[in-house]
Amino acid sequence: MKYTKPFLFTATMLVFVGGCTSGPEQSGALINAETLRADSKIFNVITFGAVGDGETLNTIALQAAIDACTQAGGGTVRVPAGEYVSGTLHLKSNVTLSLDYGAYILGSQKHSDYPIDKLRPSREGNSECFLYAEDAANIRLEGLGVIDGRGKPEFFPKKAGPGGKDNRPRLIRFENCSNVTFAGLTYKNPAFWGIHLVDCKDVHITGVTIRMQDNHSNNDGFDIDGCENVLIENCDIKAGDDSICLKSTKNPCRNIVVRDCTVSSHTAAFKCGTSSSGGFINIDVSNCYFYDCPMGGIKLQIVDGGHMENVKISRIVMDNVGSPLFVRLGNRGRVYGENTYTGTALLNPEATEGAAVGTVDGIHISDIVAHVKINPHKGKITDRNVAEAGPIMISGIPGHNVKNVVLENFKVSYPGGGTEAYAKQVVPEDETRYPEQRFFGILPAWGAYIRHAENVQLKNMELSVREPDARERIILDDVTGFRETK
């Protein structure tokens, strides 16, 4: 796959450890090479009145350092070791936010510290967030410190959609920004989504640690919406919801590379969708380890219109996952406006919401090793747990097929144990429903269930069960041009 831009990998992305003298002129923080020029400026937040005692609210002081950096034409905002409590911070063009080892920027646990009057309304869900930027260029977050949203349910109760009182802030939201770098840092405990990038270009995410499990609900790791030229590499991700989630509420996600990451999720390790109006074009995921993902490893979905093409996934090892692959072309048909509701409970699952049906055409997945496991809920195995640990599923809808899928060099171990009753299951179409594989129930195949598809090729597929299973290995329903070869 060729890319028109090489992700701006220049000398300005290199990391340097400087000397340790105090004051805004010198810094022991990690800074990029651009700041080493003679006209570089470093702004120590202590100079602007920040107090790292874990109690003082530092929103004004931290924002003052950012604003001064911007007014000076750019530079580095240094955060020394300490615990700095803050509400919403607005990052600006040409600003590097650099955290020393032992530096924590802690989210306030008061909803009033996350005003939205100066924020662009979020296209999905509520607009509150901790770190925010819009229409900015050359933003960099780096260092060995921690950005912790402290978004516990007792401080940010779960609400049902945008506009509600006490909505939960997401950790980061950048809208329409370019040349954005996340290098190092640990991101923890958002009340809602984690790192949300919307319509951004030329993004490099490297060496980032995500710790967002068992904190609240909807704790996605990365939500990449309508972005172009994005590289995510060498990251260690544990998310409560989808870990790496590509979305396209308006514009396509185009030229996205994910490589060399370890990923855990309570739902999916890697997902395209559910929001899919703009589509997904030129997606490349390689050499990753997905583990402890009970609701699935890889999910590729077009359900709100849009087009999915040229998706390549290779060299993935999955351990203790649900279904290793779920490909879905559906007809939920959501149309995205300002503050579109993100959930499912308030919407009619029996009717499309208006967008035209999209397409899925051109997926190549190879060199996959997966151990599929049934993960009991609270010590009990239910039909839901069994459905989550299902086979590969590829499904379009009547009249709209998934096209041109190649699966090659798979070695997948399934739990087995399927009964004769499982083998007789009738699979609903669920054309307009929110797409989770478990919603289709226990499938009548244990290895792969393929429906409403054309030109699907399986090459060297080593599928096995650890216990006897009464179901068929592979079931095809309304499939043309299917081939399986060794």
Side-chain angles (χ1 to χ4, degrees):
M1 181 163 39
K2 295 182 179 179
Y3 297 97
T4 57
K5 296 182 180 180
F7 300 105
L8 302 182
F9 294 154
T10 67
T12 60
M13 285 185 154
L14 298 177
V15 173
F16 175 83
V17 181
C20 295
T21 58
S22 61
E25 293 80 20
Q26 302 293 330
S27 173
L30 289 174
I31 57 179
N32 64 36
E34 186 71 16
T35 64
L36 300 181
R37 301 188 316 179
D39 58 349
S40 296
K41 300 176 180 67
I42 297 175
F43 300 81
N44 191 320
V45 297
I46 301 298
T47 304
F48 294 85
V51 179
D53 61 2
E55 297 180 1
T56 302
L57 185 66
N58 290 282
T59 311
I60 294 175
L62 297 178
Q63 191 64 57
I66 294 168
D67 293 345
C69 182
T70 301
Q71 292 165 9
T76 297
V77 174
R78 177 196 172 191
V79 184
E83 298 182 353
Y84 304 86
V85 179
S86 179
T88 299
L89 296 172
H90 294 244
L91 296 180
K92 310 289 181 65
S93 292
N94 305 314
V95 170
T96 292
L97 182 63
S98 185
L99 278 65
D100 288 4
Y101 180 82
Y104 292 76
I105 299 180
L106 305 177
S108 167
Q109 293 179 316
K110 294 182 179 179
H111 182 269
S112 59
D113 290 325
Y114 300 92
I116 61 174
D117 56 307
K118 296 181 180 180
L119 277 59
R120 183 172 295 160
S122 177
R123 202 174 295 151
E124 278 194 291
N126 51 284
S127 298
E128 290 84 351
C129 66
F130 190 16
L131 302 185
Y132 177 78
E134 65 178 47
D135 304 332
N138 307 319
I139 295 176
R140 181 180 175 94
L141 286 77
E142 66 174 22
L144 299 177
V146 177
I147 296 176
D148 186 345
R150 301 197 302 170
K152 296 294 184 180
E154 55 264 37
F155 300 104
F156 302 101
K158 187 175 181 180
K159 298 295 178 182
K165 182 181 179 182
D166 298 336
N167 273 322
R168 295 176 285 150
R170 65 199 79 194
L171 197 65
I172 293 176
R173 179 160 65 96
F174 290 174
E175 300 245 357
N176 193 39
C177 295
S178 62
N179 195 16
V180 176
T181 302
F182 295 82
L185 294 181
T186 295
Y187 298 88
K188 299 174 62 176
N189 302 328
F192 186 46
W193 291 350
I195 298 175
H196 187 196
L197 307 181
V198 183
D199 299 341
C200 294
K201 295 182 179 180
D202 302 319
V203 177
H204 186 199
I205 301 170
T206 180
V208 164
T209 300
I210 296 289
R211 292 293 181 265
M212 299 179 182
Q213 287 186 346
D214 304 318
N215 176 71
H216 211 312
S217 58
N218 311 111
N219 290 160
D220 292 19
F222 294 106
D223 288 300
I224 310 295
D225 183 353
C227 297
E228 293 188 17
N229 302 334
V230 178
L231 172 62
I232 302 174
E233 62 178 348
N234 302 318
C235 294
D236 180 358
I237 305 167
K238 290 185 178 181
D241 212 312
D242 300 314
S243 283
I244 302 173
C245 184
L246 307 188
K247 297 173 174 287
S248 59
T249 53
K250 181 179 179 181
N251 298 309
C253 267
R254 187 191 305 268
N255 298 348
I256 313 294
V257 174
V258 178
R259 65 191 184 199
D260 305 330
C261 294
T262 60
V263 183
S264 174
S265 168
H266 289 337
T267 54
F270 178 79
K271 178 179 177 182
C272 291
T274 299
S275 316
S276 69
S277 296
F280 308 97
I281 301 169
N282 299 342
I283 312 299
D284 193 319
V285 182
S286 65
N287 196 27
C288 293
Y289 175 55
F290 298 163
Y291 66 101
D292 296 344
C293 303
M295 289 180 63
I298 300 167
K299 299 180 182 179
L300 306 176
Q301 305 172 343
I302 290 286
V303 297
D304 299 325
H307 307 286
M308 179 180 292
E309 58 185 86
N310 196 22
V311 174
K312 296 181 180 179
I313 301 175
S314 64
R315 299 175 62 198
I316 308 296
V317 174
M318 307 186 205
D319 187 26
N320 189 22
V321 299
S323 170
L325 174 64
F326 176 41
V327 179
R328 175 61 167 168
L329 172 61
N331 190 22
R332 183 179 69 166
R334 182 158 298 172
V335 178
Y336 292 87
E338 187 174 288
N339 266 165
T340 304
Y341 176 60
T342 59
T344 58
L346 300 183
L347 303 174
N348 181 2
E350 305 299 327
T352 180
E353 297 175 34
V357 179
T359 65
V360 175
D361 189 345
I363 296 172
H364 190 284
I365 304 177
S366 63
D367 299 300
I368 304 296
V369 177
H371 183 273
V372 178
K373 181 180 177 182
I374 299 174
N375 289 271
H377 179 65
K378 295 182 179 179
K380 297 181 179 180
I381 294 178
T382 66
D383 285 351
R384 168 178 169 166
N385 307 135
V386 176
E388 288 175 348
I392 295 165
M393 183 176 186
I394 300 172
S395 180
I397 57 177
H400 299 275
N401 291 342
V402 173
K403 300 179 181 180
N404 299 314
V405 177
V406 178
L407 308 184
E408 185 174 8
N409 299 332
F410 274 51
K411 185 176 182 180
V412 183
S413 170
Y414 294 98
T419 65
E420 293 287 349
Y422 291 172
K424 297 176 182 178
Q425 293 277 43
V426 176
V427 183
E429 290 288 352
D430 275 347
E431 293 184 30
T432 62
R433 191 174 183 180
Y434 184 92
E436 288 289 357
Q437 180 166 328
R438 67 179 175 84
F439 291 164
F440 293 93
I442 298 171
L443 298 177
W446 61 259
Y449 180 83
I450 306 172
R451 178 172 64 176
H452 307 310
E454 57 187 270
N455 298 331
V456 176
Q457 299 182 53
L458 306 185
K459 302 178 181 180
N460 190 27
M461 300 289 287
E462 185 179 332
L463 309 179
S464 62
V465 289
R466 298 187 294 277
E467 298 290 339
D469 199 300
R471 295 172 291 176
E472 296 290 333
R473 174 176 174 269
I474 296 175
I475 288 181
L476 308 178
D477 180 2
D478 184 27
V479 176
T480 60
F482 174 81
R483 288 182 294 166
E484 182 174 13
T485 59
K486 292 295 185 182

